[in-house]
Amino acid sequence: MKKYIIKRILIFIPVLFMISIGAFLIVNLAPGNPVDMYVSPDMTVEQIQATKEALGLNDPLIVQYAKWVTNIMRGNLGFSFSSRIPVSTILSQRVGPTLLLMSISLVVAYALAIPLGILSAKKQNSIVDYVVTGLSFTGISLPSFFLGLGLIYVFAVQLKWLPTGGTKLLGVDGGIADKLRHLILPVIVLATQFAANMIRYARSSMIDVYNENYMRTAVAKGLKPMQILKDHGVRNALIPIITVIGADIPKIVGGAIVTEQIFQWPGIGSLMVASINSRDYPVLMAITMISAVAVLVANILVDIMYAVVDPRIKFS
């Protein structure tokens, strides 16, 4: 296992290198010019060229990329074109809210989805199964922006129970209770999406397990249903569930772009949208690379969990 993990980590280097090249080309070749966002109408051509020179945009792409890689290897993410603040400082301000929102959303989603998926599989083709699968397909079909705006209209505008967005009331330090009130609506939106997807996988996986011979043997031995479920059912159904969790983990870092925009949540997702609009290349590259690292790390963790839950899986 150790050799396998070391090998995977070493593979990270060329993979990240190729991702960085692709991302750098896409970001820099996209229509628009960062300087156009920051110059005033009365600036002269010389001043505009001086601004480009200061930002390093007059250099060939290969030179710009080489400078960027050199700075990254030194731990320097560069400066934001729009604010001239270090990118690391901007990210440090945005990571916390995104981690809070996404972590709570995933925990709530899995706490609901996995038991509902197991229940739906156990009562296959019953009313309970139809209701659970119906809710799952509804959650998948609902666009996040539609659900988010609908919740804002009902609970914030009409009933006035919850705030429309943000992390706290302006000018008021409401503490944990106030932050929780601001979390409710975005968590509902994100948890609905994650749970709807997880229910399908949990149900399908448990149906396959219930049809296995060892499950019938456990029933024939007279074991209690909960014991059968715990000792023989859930563990053997975990592989697909772990796969889905591994795909969701990187989203904790990357954030939810649409949901953060709707609820004015100051996280990584809304920062990415703002950076795209302002052509802030250093911030976009930093977010892209952090997301890439999160995906690669999640893949390793998933492989390790495969071996933990299923002793038949061996890595060499």
Side-chain angles (χ1 to χ4, degrees), residues 150-225:
L151 292 174
I152 290 174
Y153 178 75
V154 173
F155 294 101
V157 177
Q158 294 297 322
L159 299 177
K160 301 186 186 302
W161 290 353
L162 297 170
T164 58
T167 58
K168 63 179 182 178
L169 291 176
L170 293 177
V172 178
D173 186 10
I176 297 177
D178 183 46
K179 179 158 287 189
L180 289 176
R181 290 182 70 247
H182 285 79
L183 274 168
I184 291 175
L185 292 184
V187 165
I188 290 175
V189 173
L190 292 173
T192 298
Q193 294 178 326
F194 292 134
N197 188 46
M198 176 61 79
I199 286 174
R200 294 189 307 151
Y201 284 94
R203 177 183 180 275
S204 177
S205 183
M206 283 303 301
I207 287 175
D208 291 339
V209 169
Y210 276 126
N211 290 328
E212 294 289 344
N213 290 330
Y214 57 80
M215 293 293 284
R216 299 189 185 97
T217 301
V219 173
K221 287 181 178 180
L223 297 178
K224 295 180 180 180

Side-chain angles (χ1 to χ4, degrees), residues 9-311:
I9 293 174
L10 292 176
I11 293 175
F12 273 14
I13 299 173
V15 171
L16 283 175
F17 178 69
M18 296 304 297
I19 291 174
S20 68
I21 293 176
F24 194 86
L25 289 175
I26 292 173
V27 167
N28 283 272
L29 295 179
N33 192 318
V35 177
D36 296 338
M37 310 297 297
Y38 316 127
V39 298
S40 59
D42 58 345
M43 287 184 68
T44 63
V45 175
E46 290 76 12
Q47 289 174 323
I48 293 175
Q49 289 301 320
T51 303
K52 288 184 177 181
E53 185 67 30
L55 296 177
L57 297 175
N58 285 334
D59 297 328
L61 279 181
I62 186 66
V63 175
Q64 294 183 40
Y65 177 76
K67 290 181 178 179
W68 178 81
V69 170
T70 303
N71 288 330
I72 288 293
M73 294 180 68
R74 294 173 178 170
N76 179 14
L77 297 178
F79 288 82
S80 167
F81 284 171
S82 58
S83 64
R84 305 306 297 164
I85 298 175
V87 174
S88 56
T89 302
I90 297 174
L91 292 178
S92 65
Q93 296 169 351
R94 297 293 191 122
V95 167
T98 289
L99 289 177
L100 177 66
L101 174 61
M102 299 301 293
S103 299
I104 294 176
S105 300
L106 286 174
V107 170
V108 171
Y110 296 156
L112 293 173
I114 295 176
L116 285 176
I118 295 172
L119 177 64
S120 181
K122 185 174 179 60
K123 298 183 178 296
Q124 187 180 6
N125 298 325
S126 67
I127 295 178
V128 173
D129 183 28
Y130 295 145
V131 170
V132 173
T133 53
L135 291 174
S136 173
F137 282 113
T138 301
I140 293 172
S141 303
L142 275 176
S144 57
F145 70 87
F146 180 82
L147 179 59
L149 292 175
L151 292 174
I152 290 174
Y153 178 75
V154 173
F155 294 101
V157 177
Q158 294 297 322
L159 299 177
K160 301 186 186 302
W161 290 353
L162 297 170
T164 58
T167 58
K168 63 179 182 178
L169 291 176
L170 293 177
V172 178
D173 186 10
I176 297 177
D178 183 46
K179 179 158 287 189
L180 289 176
R181 290 182 70 247
H182 285 79
L183 274 168
I184 291 175
L185 292 184
V187 165
I188 290 175
V189 173
L190 292 173
T192 298
Q193 294 178 326
F194 292 134
N197 188 46
M198 176 61 79
I199 286 174
R200 294 189 307 151
Y201 284 94
R203 177 183 180 275
S204 177
S205 183
M206 283 303 301
I207 287 175
D208 291 339
V209 169
Y210 276 126
N211 290 328
E212 294 289 344
N213 290 330
Y214 57 80
M215 293 293 284
R216 299 189 185 97
T217 301
V219 173
K221 287 181 178 180
L223 297 178
K224 295 180 180 180
M226 286 303 298
Q227 185 179 0
I228 296 173
L229 181 64
K230 182 181 70 172
D231 297 339
H232 302 282
V234 174
R235 184 163 184 173
N236 287 288
L238 281 178
I239 295 296
I241 294 174
I242 290 174
T243 303
V244 177
I245 294 175
D248 288 340
I249 287 177
K251 298 174 184 177
I252 295 178
V253 177
I257 296 175
V258 176
T259 303
E260 289 188 2
Q261 281 291 102
I262 292 173
F263 294 99
Q264 301 98 50
W265 193 263
I268 298 294
S270 58
L271 175 63
M272 176 174 284
V273 173
S275 300
I276 292 173
N277 291 332
S278 61
R279 309 296 192 273
D280 203 339
Y281 298 163
V283 176
L284 283 174
M285 285 300 300
I287 295 174
T288 301
M289 297 310 298
I290 290 173
S291 300
V293 170
V295 171
L296 294 173
V297 171
N299 287 336
I300 284 188
L301 293 178
V302 167
D303 287 344
I304 294 173
M305 289 304 299
Y306 284 163
V308 171
V309 302
D310 191 345

